[in-house]
Amino acid sequence: MSSPSLVSPVSHPHDLPVLDWTHRLTQLGSRFFTPLQPTPVAAPRWAARNEALRVELGWPNALFDDEHLQAFAGNALMVGSQPLATVYSGHQFGQWAGQLGDGRAIWLGEAASAQGPQEIQLKGAGRTPYSRGGDGRAVLRSSIREYLCSEAMHGLGIPTTRALCLVASPEPVRRETMESAAVVARVAPSFLRFGHFEHFSAQGDTDSLRALADHAIAHHLPECRERAALWQGNVYAALLDEVQERTAKLLAKWQAVGFCHGVMNTDNMSLLGLTIDYGPFQFLDAFDPGHICNHSDHQGRYAYGRQPNVAYWNLYCLAQALASLIDDQEMTLLVLEGYKTLFPRYLGDAMRAKLGLIGDLAPESEREADWTLVEDLMQLMAAEKVDFTVFWRRLSQAVVMQSTAAAALTDAGWSAVTDLVLDRPRLLEWLARYTVRSGQNSFSAMGQQMLRSNPKFVLRNHLAEIAIRQAQAGDFSEIDTLYNLLQSPFDEHPGFEAYADLPPDWAGQLEISCSS
């Protein structure tokens, strides 16, 4: 594939790079990637710049000047960058899809930062050898969703890739309809996926598989060396063990906040346990364990309630890919058993925190009783399709208002909660059990803990849609408004209560698919 021509690289005084590049991934060799340059887009303009992330990473102001706009659009190269696209394979919707790869994401390199080396990708920067007939572009609609959601997840304390900036272009891109192009620059310590390992395993290329695993352990997961002591010194079993635990923690956080990924293919699973590849995602409005957020998911494989089991299935695929390195089937299966123990525990802890019932050292009998309390509440919420985010936030506020656990459940402070359900006696019975469980704890202290666990603001589909429609008309201000709210979603943000309201009726008509 021939590389498109670009305008001159971004220049600086004495041609010094603005970022300190390392490019450790390139040391793996040409079997792992294809060097290529981004494809320029017409008339780029800044749509959003994540100043907080730039400062957090210790990167200079010059990174967001108009000169670098061309670099983040894919129209120029930053001094020291080394663009490429990586190859991987994977299972999509439960079926082996064969070779995939970075079809519209171009890796610029790895740059030093205040938080350690960070890889930078341009998503939507043009065709690669792995585009499989696609145009390699991203549309403004999906790019806004990714920019906002990756930062929303970070604000919620959920591991994720980050969004550095967003560039818009009037260049036309055809999806279901004709749309305009955009490029989002995303950042992560590593973009390695389960699918990178599946690729070389499927090819029977054990040497490359081992090189990739050694690279991941040396540069991204060094704790595996110490963890190997649990597995008779087998560092590859330790690698799988580290990944399964990170994945269990991630899925527990997803479920606790009502996040639906929508397309949990193995090539969309991060080796580091990050949320990656924001496409047809959704934060639940009405609570429904069977909710399918991806309009393309006709069988409901990736429904909200199925995500934890899908994650285990994906880990099993990763285990199969690593099998030749671990070289011990019984040990491999034992490693995977860890997920079945860890995920329920992490989810239980997350849900207990949402109820203000904290304490990692709680006895197992207490944890089991608390989980019964959680399950009974979730069944009630599911039966009445109660709004997930609003319910938990109102419950938190109601608890704050009570001076003691013995406060009468008929008090006005509880009405904001009980008004959300039709079966009020059932909820009151649950609240009575909840207050008994709380014992002599300070309801005010519990409530403050709950306010730190139950966000007021999440990126609901209709909020993103409003920002998208305004951006398509040339007004990017709503992106900044949402970004500011989602950076600190547990804060009250007086004056912005409408962003935390129940969704409007038209929100239920929105459809998102893999093209989103």
Side-chain angles (χ1 to χ4, degrees), residues 239-374:
L239 172 61
L240 179 62
D241 194 19
E242 179 68 25
V243 175
Q244 68 85 11
E245 181 163 4
R246 287 174 177 238
T247 304
K249 289 180 179 178
L250 178 69
L251 266 292
K253 289 179 179 290
W254 282 7
Q255 300 303 108
V257 80
F259 176 76
C260 310
H261 185 280
V263 60
M264 288 178 63
N265 297 331
T266 58
D267 57 293
N268 291 338
M269 296 292 292
S270 160
L271 194 74
L272 302 191
L274 307 175
T275 313
I276 192 171
D277 283 353
Y278 292 91
F281 68 82
Q282 184 179 5
F283 287 89
L284 290 174
D285 291 329
F287 180 65
D288 176 7
H291 181 70
I292 304 165
C293 72
N294 182 356
H295 189 61
S296 305
D297 184 7
H298 304 298
Q299 303 302 315
R301 177 178 177 83
Y302 299 136
Y304 165 77
R306 294 180 176 176
Q307 291 183 145
N309 287 339
V310 169
Y312 179 79
W313 193 92
N314 290 343
L315 285 164
Y316 190 87
C317 291
L318 177 63
Q320 289 182 309
L322 293 173
S324 63
L325 302 184
I326 298 173
D327 197 26
D328 186 326
Q329 183 177 5
E330 183 177 351
M331 180 181 291
T332 301
L333 293 175
L334 282 174
V335 172
L336 288 175
E337 284 297 304
Y339 180 88
K340 297 179 180 179
T341 301
L342 289 173
F343 169 74
R345 188 175 186 86
Y346 288 138
L347 180 60
D349 286 347
M351 299 307 293
R352 290 174 71 241
K354 290 175 77 69
L355 288 171
L357 307 175
I358 56 176
D360 292 339
L361 300 180
E364 199 60 37
S365 59
E366 185 176 289
R367 288 174 177 273
E368 291 178 2
D370 289 348
W371 185 247
T372 299
L373 202 62
V374 169

Side-chain angles (χ1 to χ4, degrees), residues 54-108:
R54 182 192 62 75
V55 171
E56 189 179 317
L57 295 175
W59 289 347
N61 293 333
L63 199 63
F64 285 162
D65 60 24
D66 286 340
E67 193 175 23
H68 279 85
L69 169 63
Q70 298 300 325
F72 285 116
N75 293 1
L77 297 180
M78 277 188 274
V79 174
S81 64
Q82 195 168 329
L84 56 85
T86 67
V87 61
Y88 50 81
S89 297
H91 287 81
Q92 298 190 327
F93 291 92
Q95 302 298 317
W96 177 245
Q99 179 179 301
L100 301 167
D102 293 327
R104 56 176 173 170
I106 294 181
W107 188 87
L108 295 184

